[in-house]
Amino acid sequence: LLSMLATYLNLVNDEVSYDLRLTKTYAGIRTRHLQKSLAQFSEMCGSYMHGFDPSTRSNHAEVRFCTIRNENWYEPSTSPFAQYTINIVKLFQAERDLVRHIMPTVISDETFFATIERPFEAYLGTGEKIMAFFFSSPMYEVLHALDVYGYLLETDSVLASLLAPNQSQSASMAKMAGRLQAHLSKSFVALIGLLRHPFKEDTMPKQTGGVNELVSNTLTFLSYLIGYKDLLVNLFLSMGDGHWNQSASQDSPHVSHPASDPSDGLSIFQHYLRDVIDALSYTIDQGGKHMKRPTLQFVFLINNHSYLARALRDTMYAGDDESQSLGLGDLVGRSALMRIESQIERSRKGYIATWKALMSSFPAATLGPPEKLGMFNQGFDEMVRAQRAYDIFDADVRAMLVSDATDAVVPDYEMFLRQNPDKSPEFARAMKYTPRDLQRRIKGMLDD
């Protein structure tokens, strides 16, 4: 039937009248073909959204960002709606070319729009559902939304030319892209807000000194985010420099410096990344305040700031290879790394001080050498026992802590023994450790 219709319509002369019922029949057949071809993409979108439990979405979005597992991160170009967008453009292009080839101009455009009307409405309906999904999703789904936004922009010119005579359809696409851009802007602000007001009741850091999930997940998020740098440069330029700070309170602990060039999108994006890193450093400081022991506080600060510093240091590629793209460290800049490294040094001084406090009894005039040793032994054993419970997986951080503890304790302990050559039985019984014993205990204190 379709072949017969196409043959007939192809023979219709522009000047000859034709039967509209035949073009409607043709459009109906082609519409069903398009719907069948595109149905799989709509179903894929539905399956993707169905995979997320509605009860754990908007109310717990912050918690889920703090506890996300690696397999939940969105991988670029895997969005079912992005595939839907690409394929609907391809099919619409092919349909337009076909109808123009087999029909005279006087009827081809009208038949084309009649053919794509219902498939396009179905696409917009799925788009509305995807928008609602993004708006109530955890923060890591911003990457998915950003990818879809990029595909909408990428296909915009082609789709606009296809829909040009139909203003309402063109306006629907522009509205979808605009809503998505507004959501992305709010999400970038939300991340800064989360980092500046971290650790609510259900996101408290663990009492282990380990790298906090919010810290590691934020850095993972940024590593994915900069993969969209070219898209984000234009997006941030349109949003304006510092838009993420407009709702910040006057007493905010964060000091934000303007972009070096407010008219350059890359400069604005770099400003945003610096603010995220500074806010993340503030998050670490706040996490340290929740640690219940002074030593644990400094271990948490050292461990998390070292994790942050390594993430920046390992992504400074500029100058290594001309073909290498800019990494997070390159975009943030060396000054941010230097600030974090200075915070590590301050925390190390605090950590060393907690070890030196074990020998606070040594100068006491009211205690004898055996009593002083007994107090030291008790404090030292408790300190080493506590360190065994800490989650320090970075070999460099472990070596740093062992070195600082050894330097803080062993020289002063040796000096105390030299200054107190006591040979009494009481002193011998209190002499639990030689300096070498202390070194061995400290060296193995972080081992499982």
Side-chain angles (χ1 to χ4, degrees):
L1 176 61
L2 185 62
S3 176
M4 293 172 60
L5 283 171
T7 302
Y8 166 77
L9 293 170
N10 190 38
L11 295 174
V12 174
N13 187 282
D14 287 0
E15 303 300 325
V16 180
S17 62
Y18 54 88
D19 191 339
L20 285 175
R21 289 175 298 178
L22 294 178
T23 60
K24 289 180 180 179
T25 301
Y26 173 90
I29 296 172
R30 295 301 297 172
T31 292
R32 288 191 291 274
H33 167 72
L34 290 177
Q35 289 174 321
K36 185 177 180 180
S37 300
L38 294 169
Q40 58 178 317
F41 300 106
S42 179
E43 292 169 0
M44 288 165 57
C45 291
S47 298
Y48 184 91
M49 293 182 285
H50 183 70
F52 290 81
D53 183 357
S55 65
T56 62
R57 293 182 65 74
S58 57
N59 291 339
H60 301 85
E62 177 181 304
V63 179
R64 294 188 68 198
F65 185 75
C66 297
T67 59
I68 180 178
R69 295 178 180 273
N70 289 338
E71 62 267 21
N72 294 122
W73 292 104
Y74 173 78
E75 293 294 337
S77 303
T78 61
S79 168
F81 190 71
Q83 296 304 313
Y84 198 170
T85 301
I86 292 171
N87 281 277
I88 202 170
V89 170
K90 289 181 177 179
L91 287 175
F92 281 8
Q93 279 184 302
E95 190 63 34
R96 183 196 59 185
D97 294 343
L98 174 64
V99 77
R100 285 183 174 178
H101 177 70
I102 66 175
M103 295 184 188
T105 304
V106 70
I107 59 173
S108 61
D109 286 349
E110 182 179 348
T111 304
F112 170 67
F113 285 113
T115 301
I116 69 169
E117 182 178 4
R118 278 184 286 174
F120 188 68
E121 286 177 355
Y123 169 79
L124 291 177
T126 302
E128 285 297 315
K129 294 176 183 177
I130 285 287
M131 294 300 112
F133 171 81
F134 288 150
F135 298 161
S136 62
S137 288
M139 204 170 300
Y140 57 81
E141 280 292 333
V142 170
L143 298 169
H144 186 176
L146 186 61
D147 204 32
V148 168
Y149 179 73
Y151 277 101
L152 290 179
L153 295 186
E154 184 179 314
T155 57
D156 176 67
S157 59
V158 177
L159 202 54
S161 66
L162 289 170
L163 304 175
N166 193 318
Q167 295 184 356
S168 63
Q169 291 179 337
S170 299
S172 297
M173 288 300 297
K175 181 180 178 182
M176 186 187 302
R179 291 177 64 196
L180 203 48
Q181 179 176 328
H183 168 67
L184 292 170
S185 177
K186 291 178 181 177
S187 299
F188 296 138
V189 175
L191 176 60
I192 291 279
L194 171 59
L195 297 176
R196 290 175 181 169
H197 303 90
F199 306 127
K200 294 181 174 59
E201 181 178 352
D202 44 9
T203 57
M204 288 294 182
K206 299 175 182 178
Q207 298 293 315
T208 61
V211 175
N212 182 255
E213 290 90 343
L214 181 55
V215 175
S216 60
N217 286 339
T218 300
L219 289 171
T220 301
F221 175 80
L222 293 180
S223 70
Y224 278 97
L225 189 67
I226 62 176
Y228 298 96
K229 179 175 66 68
D230 293 341
L231 175 62
L232 288 165
V233 163
N234 294 324
L235 183 59
F236 271 83
L237 180 61
S238 67
M239 293 187 293
D241 184 36
H243 75 276
W244 55 89
N245 290 322
Q246 292 176 0
S247 60
S249 60
Q250 295 297 320
D251 58 350
S252 172
H254 177 78
V255 178
S256 178
H257 300 285
S260 57
D261 182 0
S263 63
D264 177 64
L266 178 59
S267 180
I268 297 172
F269 181 48
Q270 289 177 289
H271 176 198
Y272 176 75
L273 292 176
R274 287 195 299 271
D275 279 5
V276 172
I277 294 299
D278 287 343
L280 190 55
S281 180
Y282 173 76
T283 293
I284 294 172
D285 290 339
Q286 295 303 300
K289 294 178 181 179
H290 288 285
M291 298 298 106
K292 296 178 180 179
R293 297 167 61 104
T295 306
L296 179 58
Q297 175 183 357
F298 293 118
V299 168
F300 179 90
L301 293 173
I302 292 170
N303 199 18
N304 280 268
H305 274 126
S306 295
Y307 185 86
L308 177 54
R310 179 184 288 275
L312 298 182
R313 196 181 301 115
D314 290 351
T315 53
M316 288 184 170
Y317 307 128
D320 295 344
D321 185 347
E322 291 184 1
S323 63
Q324 179 70 58
S325 59
L326 294 177
L328 178 62
D330 296 316
L331 293 167
V332 170
R334 194 162 295 278
S335 60
L337 175 61
M338 292 174 63
R339 287 196 299 273
I340 295 164
E341 289 175 337
S342 67
Q343 289 172 309
I344 296 172
E345 291 305 311
R346 285 198 297 271
S347 298
R348 289 180 68 182
K349 290 178 181 178
Y351 179 71
I352 291 170
T354 63
W355 282 95
K356 285 189 173 295
L358 299 177
M359 296 164 288
S360 60
S361 64
F362 286 0
T366 57
L367 299 174
E371 289 83 4
K372 294 177 181 179
L373 271 184
M375 293 179 66
F376 170 81
N377 292 338
Q378 181 181 356
F380 180 80
D381 289 342
E382 290 178 355
M383 180 75 88
V384 170
R385 188 162 48 249
Q387 303 275 326
R388 286 188 178 278
Y390 298 161
D391 293 334
I392 315 295
F393 301 113
D394 188 309
D396 291 339
V397 175
R398 292 166 72 94
M400 180 194 304
L401 296 176
V402 167
S403 176
D404 287 348
T406 301
D407 293 344
V409 173
V410 174
D412 288 355
Y413 187 79
E414 289 177 328
M415 182 180 296
F416 172 78
L417 295 182
R418 287 196 299 269
Q419 293 173 348
N420 296 276
D422 195 329
K423 304 300 182 182
S424 67
E426 293 81 7
F427 190 85
R429 285 193 295 271
M431 182 70 179
K432 185 176 181 179
Y433 299 111
T434 65
R436 183 167 293 181
D437 292 334
L438 293 181
Q439 287 179 310
R440 283 196 293 266
R441 288 294 307 276
I442 292 173
K443 185 177 180 180
M445 68 182 179
L446 297 173
D447 294 339
D448 297 333

PDB file of all heavy atoms in Angstrom, residues 8-28:
ATOM      1  N   TYR A   8       1.987   6.903  -6.647  1.00  0.00           N
ATOM      2  CA  TYR A   8       0.937   7.827  -7.090  1.00  0.00           C
ATOM      3  C   TYR A   8       1.319   9.262  -6.766  1.00  0.00           C
ATOM      4  O   TYR A   8       1.241  10.151  -7.624  1.00  0.00           O
ATOM      5  CB  TYR A   8      -0.398   7.469  -6.423  1.00  0.00           C
ATOM      6  CG  TYR A   8      -1.430   8.562  -6.570  1.00  0.00           C
ATOM      7  CD1 TYR A   8      -2.119   8.761  -7.784  1.00  0.00           C
ATOM      8  CD2 TYR A   8      -1.698   9.432  -5.513  1.00  0.00           C
ATOM      9  CE1 TYR A   8      -3.037   9.778  -7.921  1.00  0.00           C
ATOM     10  CE2 TYR A   8      -2.622  10.450  -5.655  1.00  0.00           C
ATOM     11  CZ  TYR A   8      -3.298  10.620  -6.858  1.00  0.00           C
ATOM     12  OH  TYR A   8      -4.202  11.634  -6.987  1.00  0.00           O
ATOM     13  N   LEU A   9       1.731   9.493  -5.515  1.00  0.00           N
ATOM     14  CA  LEU A   9       2.013  10.864  -5.085  1.00  0.00           C
ATOM     15  C   LEU A   9       3.201  11.451  -5.832  1.00  0.00           C
ATOM     16  O   LEU A   9       3.301  12.659  -6.036  1.00  0.00           O
ATOM     17  CB  LEU A   9       2.270  10.888  -3.565  1.00  0.00           C
ATOM     18  CG  LEU A   9       1.040  10.543  -2.699  1.00  0.00           C
ATOM     19  CD1 LEU A   9       1.449  10.358  -1.242  1.00  0.00           C
ATOM     20  CD2 LEU A   9      -0.017  11.641  -2.809  1.00  0.00           C
ATOM     21  N   ASN A  10       4.125  10.605  -6.231  1.00  0.00           N
ATOM     22  CA  ASN A  10       5.284  11.070  -6.973  1.00  0.00           C
ATOM     23  C   ASN A  10       4.904  11.538  -8.366  1.00  0.00           C
ATOM     24  O   ASN A  10       5.590  12.349  -8.982  1.00  0.00           O
ATOM     25  CB  ASN A  10       6.321   9.956  -7.059  1.00  0.00           C
ATOM     26  CG  ASN A  10       7.646  10.448  -7.597  1.00  0.00           C
ATOM     27  OD1 ASN A  10       8.068  11.556  -7.286  1.00  0.00           O
ATOM     28  ND2 ASN A  10       8.284   9.633  -8.405  1.00  0.00           N
ATOM     29  N   LEU A  11       3.781  11.022  -8.869  1.00  0.00           N
ATOM     30  CA  LEU A  11       3.328  11.378 -10.213  1.00  0.00           C
ATOM     31  C   LEU A  11       2.426  12.604 -10.215  1.00  0.00           C
ATOM     32  O   LEU A  11       2.094  13.142 -11.270  1.00  0.00           O
ATOM     33  CB  LEU A  11       2.589  10.198 -10.851  1.00  0.00           C
ATOM     34  CG  LEU A  11       3.442   8.947 -11.116  1.00  0.00           C
ATOM     35  CD1 LEU A  11       2.555   7.815 -11.617  1.00  0.00           C
ATOM     36  CD2 LEU A  11       4.541   9.262 -12.125  1.00  0.00           C
ATOM     37  N   VAL A  12       2.027  13.043  -9.004  1.00  0.00           N
ATOM     38  CA  VAL A  12       1.118  14.186  -8.929  1.00  0.00           C
ATOM     39  C   VAL A  12       1.867  15.446  -9.352  1.00  0.00           C
ATOM     40  O   VAL A  12       2.933  15.745  -8.823  1.00  0.00           O
ATOM     41  CB  VAL A  12       0.557  14.346  -7.510  1.00  0.00           C
ATOM     42  CG1 VAL A  12      -0.265  15.637  -7.414  1.00  0.00           C
ATOM     43  CG2 VAL A  12      -0.326  13.154  -7.158  1.00  0.00           C
ATOM     44  N   ASN A  13       1.316  16.146 -10.291  1.00  0.00           N
ATOM     45  CA  ASN A  13       1.923  17.394 -10.751  1.00  0.00           C
ATOM     46  C   ASN A  13       1.536  18.534  -9.825  1.00  0.00           C
ATOM     47  O   ASN A  13       0.450  18.538  -9.244  1.00  0.00           O
ATOM     48  CB  ASN A  13       1.440  17.704 -12.174  1.00  0.00           C
ATOM     49  CG  ASN A  13       2.176  18.887 -12.758  1.00  0.00           C
ATOM     50  OD1 ASN A  13       1.884  20.033 -12.432  1.00  0.00           O
ATOM     51  ND2 ASN A  13       3.125  18.596 -13.643  1.00  0.00           N
ATOM     52  N   ASP A  14       2.453  19.493  -9.590  1.00  0.00           N
ATOM     53  CA  ASP A  14       2.170  20.620  -8.698  1.00  0.00           C
ATOM     54  C   ASP A  14       0.874  21.322  -9.052  1.00  0.00           C
ATOM     55  O   ASP A  14       0.181  21.864  -8.196  1.00  0.00           O
ATOM     56  CB  ASP A  14       3.318  21.625  -8.735  1.00  0.00           C
ATOM     57  CG  ASP A  14       4.538  21.086  -8.005  1.00  0.00           C
ATOM     58  OD1 ASP A  14       4.478  19.952  -7.480  1.00  0.00           O
ATOM     59  OD2 ASP A  14       5.532  21.805  -7.969  1.00  0.00           O
ATOM     60  N   GLU A  15       0.556  21.333 -10.325  1.00  0.00           N
ATOM     61  CA  GLU A  15      -0.607  22.071 -10.768  1.00  0.00           C
ATOM     62  C   GLU A  15      -1.888  21.241 -10.729  1.00  0.00           C
ATOM     63  O   GLU A  15      -2.963  21.735 -11.014  1.00  0.00           O
ATOM     64  CB  GLU A  15      -0.383  22.566 -12.218  1.00  0.00           C
ATOM     65  CG  GLU A  15       0.867  23.427 -12.376  1.00  0.00           C
ATOM     66  CD  GLU A  15       0.807  24.672 -11.515  1.00  0.00           C
ATOM     67  OE1 GLU A  15      -0.301  25.233 -11.332  1.00  0.00           O
ATOM     68  OE2 GLU A  15       1.860  25.100 -11.012  1.00  0.00           O
ATOM     69  N   VAL A  16      -1.732  19.954 -10.425  1.00  0.00           N
ATOM     70  CA  VAL A  16      -2.890  19.061 -10.433  1.00  0.00           C
ATOM     71  C   VAL A  16      -3.385  18.859  -9.022  1.00  0.00           C
ATOM     72  O   VAL A  16      -2.600  18.713  -8.088  1.00  0.00           O
ATOM     73  CB  VAL A  16      -2.519  17.704 -11.063  1.00  0.00           C
ATOM     74  CG1 VAL A  16      -3.742  16.759 -11.079  1.00  0.00           C
ATOM     75  CG2 VAL A  16      -1.992  17.906 -12.472  1.00  0.00           C
ATOM     76  N   SER A  17      -4.664  18.876  -8.830  1.00  0.00           N
ATOM     77  CA  SER A  17      -5.214  18.653  -7.492  1.00  0.00           C
ATOM     78  C   SER A  17      -4.964  17.216  -7.078  1.00  0.00           C
ATOM     79  O   SER A  17      -4.800  16.330  -7.911  1.00  0.00           O
ATOM     80  CB  SER A  17      -6.713  18.956  -7.488  1.00  0.00           C
ATOM     81  OG  SER A  17      -7.381  18.076  -8.370  1.00  0.00           O
ATOM     82  N   TYR A  18      -4.961  16.955  -5.762  1.00  0.00           N
ATOM     83  CA  TYR A  18      -4.709  15.617  -5.252  1.00  0.00           C
ATOM     84  C   TYR A  18      -5.675  15.336  -4.115  1.00  0.00           C
ATOM     85  O   TYR A  18      -6.296  16.232  -3.550  1.00  0.00           O
ATOM     86  CB  TYR A  18      -3.265  15.501  -4.768  1.00  0.00           C
ATOM     87  CG  TYR A  18      -2.893  16.569  -3.760  1.00  0.00           C
ATOM     88  CD1 TYR A  18      -3.119  16.379  -2.393  1.00  0.00           C
ATOM     89  CD2 TYR A  18      -2.324  17.770  -4.183  1.00  0.00           C
ATOM     90  CE1 TYR A  18      -2.793  17.372  -1.487  1.00  0.00           C
ATOM     91  CE2 TYR A  18      -2.008  18.756  -3.276  1.00  0.00           C
ATOM     92  CZ  TYR A  18      -2.241  18.557  -1.924  1.00  0.00           C
ATOM     93  OH  TYR A  18      -1.924  19.528  -1.040  1.00  0.00           O
ATOM     94  N   ASP A  19      -5.759  14.090  -3.773  1.00  0.00           N
ATOM     95  CA  ASP A  19      -6.676  13.647  -2.723  1.00  0.00           C
ATOM     96  C   ASP A  19      -5.957  13.675  -1.384  1.00  0.00           C
ATOM     97  O   ASP A  19      -5.001  12.903  -1.158  1.00  0.00           O
ATOM     98  CB  ASP A  19      -7.162  12.228  -3.036  1.00  0.00           C
ATOM     99  CG  ASP A  19      -8.325  11.824  -2.122  1.00  0.00           C
ATOM    100  OD1 ASP A  19      -8.459  12.432  -1.049  1.00  0.00           O
ATOM    101  OD2 ASP A  19      -9.051  10.887  -2.501  1.00  0.00           O
ATOM    102  N   LEU A  20      -6.351  14.592  -0.476  1.00  0.00           N
ATOM    103  CA  LEU A  20      -5.707  14.716   0.829  1.00  0.00           C
ATOM    104  C   LEU A  20      -5.800  13.428   1.640  1.00  0.00           C
ATOM    105  O   LEU A  20      -4.961  13.161   2.494  1.00  0.00           O
ATOM    106  CB  LEU A  20      -6.320  15.879   1.624  1.00  0.00           C
ATOM    107  CG  LEU A  20      -5.925  17.284   1.182  1.00  0.00           C
ATOM    108  CD1 LEU A  20      -6.704  18.319   1.984  1.00  0.00           C
ATOM    109  CD2 LEU A  20      -4.431  17.490   1.371  1.00  0.00           C
ATOM    110  N   ARG A  21      -6.818  12.633   1.385  1.00  0.00           N
ATOM    111  CA  ARG A  21      -6.959  11.400   2.145  1.00  0.00           C
ATOM    112  C   ARG A  21      -5.780  10.460   1.900  1.00  0.00           C
ATOM    113  O   ARG A  21      -5.373   9.695   2.774  1.00  0.00           O
ATOM    114  CB  ARG A  21      -8.271  10.709   1.771  1.00  0.00           C
ATOM    115  CG  ARG A  21      -9.509  11.420   2.287  1.00  0.00           C
ATOM    116  CD  ARG A  21     -10.764  10.763   1.784  1.00  0.00           C
ATOM    117  NE  ARG A  21     -10.840  10.826   0.324  1.00  0.00           N
ATOM    118  CZ  ARG A  21     -11.827  10.284  -0.389  1.00  0.00           C
ATOM    119  NH1 ARG A  21     -12.799   9.620   0.238  1.00  0.00           N
ATOM    120  NH2 ARG A  21     -11.838  10.380  -1.702  1.00  0.00           N
ATOM    121  N   LEU A  22      -5.218  10.521   0.708  1.00  0.00           N
ATOM    122  CA  LEU A  22      -4.091   9.659   0.392  1.00  0.00           C
ATOM    123  C   LEU A  22      -2.835  10.089   1.153  1.00  0.00           C
ATOM    124  O   LEU A  22      -2.074   9.250   1.635  1.00  0.00           O
ATOM    125  CB  LEU A  22      -3.831   9.668  -1.112  1.00  0.00           C
ATOM    126  CG  LEU A  22      -4.932   9.055  -1.980  1.00  0.00           C
ATOM    127  CD1 LEU A  22      -4.569   9.162  -3.450  1.00  0.00           C
ATOM    128  CD2 LEU A  22      -5.171   7.601  -1.599  1.00  0.00           C
ATOM    129  N   THR A  23      -2.587  11.397   1.268  1.00  0.00           N
ATOM    130  CA  THR A  23      -1.414  11.858   2.026  1.00  0.00           C
ATOM    131  C   THR A  23      -1.575  11.543   3.501  1.00  0.00           C
ATOM    132  O   THR A  23      -0.603  11.230   4.199  1.00  0.00           O
ATOM    133  CB  THR A  23      -1.206  13.371   1.824  1.00  0.00           C
ATOM    134  OG1 THR A  23      -2.370  14.081   2.276  1.00  0.00           O
ATOM    135  CG2 THR A  23      -0.950  13.694   0.369  1.00  0.00           C
ATOM    136  N   LYS A  24      -2.822  11.624   4.002  1.00  0.00           N
ATOM    137  CA  LYS A  24      -3.060  11.287   5.403  1.00  0.00           C
ATOM    138  C   LYS A  24      -2.805   9.802   5.655  1.00  0.00           C
ATOM    139  O   LYS A  24      -2.270   9.410   6.698  1.00  0.00           O
ATOM    140  CB  LYS A  24      -4.479  11.653   5.803  1.00  0.00           C
ATOM    141  CG  LYS A  24      -4.725  13.148   5.909  1.00  0.00           C
ATOM    142  CD  LYS A  24      -6.172  13.452   6.309  1.00  0.00           C
ATOM    143  CE  LYS A  24      -6.405  14.957   6.419  1.00  0.00           C
ATOM    144  NZ  LYS A  24      -7.814  15.269   6.787  1.00  0.00           N
ATOM    145  N   THR A  25      -3.193   8.989   4.698  1.00  0.00           N
ATOM    146  CA  THR A  25      -2.939   7.556   4.821  1.00  0.00           C
ATOM    147  C   THR A  25      -1.435   7.282   4.841  1.00  0.00           C
ATOM    148  O   THR A  25      -0.927   6.493   5.648  1.00  0.00           O
ATOM    149  CB  THR A  25      -3.593   6.796   3.660  1.00  0.00           C
ATOM    150  OG1 THR A  25      -4.998   7.050   3.668  1.00  0.00           O
ATOM    151  CG2 THR A  25      -3.349   5.291   3.783  1.00  0.00           C
ATOM    152  N   TYR A  26      -0.728   7.950   3.933  1.00  0.00           N
ATOM    153  CA  TYR A  26       0.736   7.810   3.895  1.00  0.00           C
ATOM    154  C   TYR A  26       1.342   8.244   5.225  1.00  0.00           C
ATOM    155  O   TYR A  26       2.180   7.534   5.805  1.00  0.00           O
ATOM    156  CB  TYR A  26       1.304   8.660   2.749  1.00  0.00           C
ATOM    157  CG  TYR A  26       2.809   8.711   2.720  1.00  0.00           C
ATOM    158  CD1 TYR A  26       3.533   7.770   1.997  1.00  0.00           C
ATOM    159  CD2 TYR A  26       3.502   9.693   3.425  1.00  0.00           C
ATOM    160  CE1 TYR A  26       4.914   7.805   1.982  1.00  0.00           C
ATOM    161  CE2 TYR A  26       4.878   9.741   3.408  1.00  0.00           C
ATOM    162  CZ  TYR A  26       5.589   8.799   2.691  1.00  0.00           C
ATOM    163  OH  TYR A  26       6.952   8.831   2.676  1.00  0.00           O
ATOM    164  N   ALA A  27       0.925   9.406   5.732  1.00  0.00           N
ATOM    165  CA  ALA A  27       1.472   9.929   6.986  1.00  0.00           C
ATOM    166  C   ALA A  27       1.177   8.973   8.139  1.00  0.00           C
ATOM    167  O   ALA A  27       2.022   8.758   9.024  1.00  0.00           O
ATOM    168  CB  ALA A  27       0.893  11.306   7.278  1.00  0.00           C
ATOM    169  N   GLY A  28      -0.012   8.382   8.154  1.00  0.00           N
ATOM    170  CA  GLY A  28      -0.373   7.458   9.222  1.00  0.00           C
ATOM    171  C   GLY A  28       0.516   6.231   9.242  1.00  0.00           C
ATOM    172  O   GLY A  28       0.941   5.765  10.307  1.00  0.00           O
TER     173      GLY A  28
END
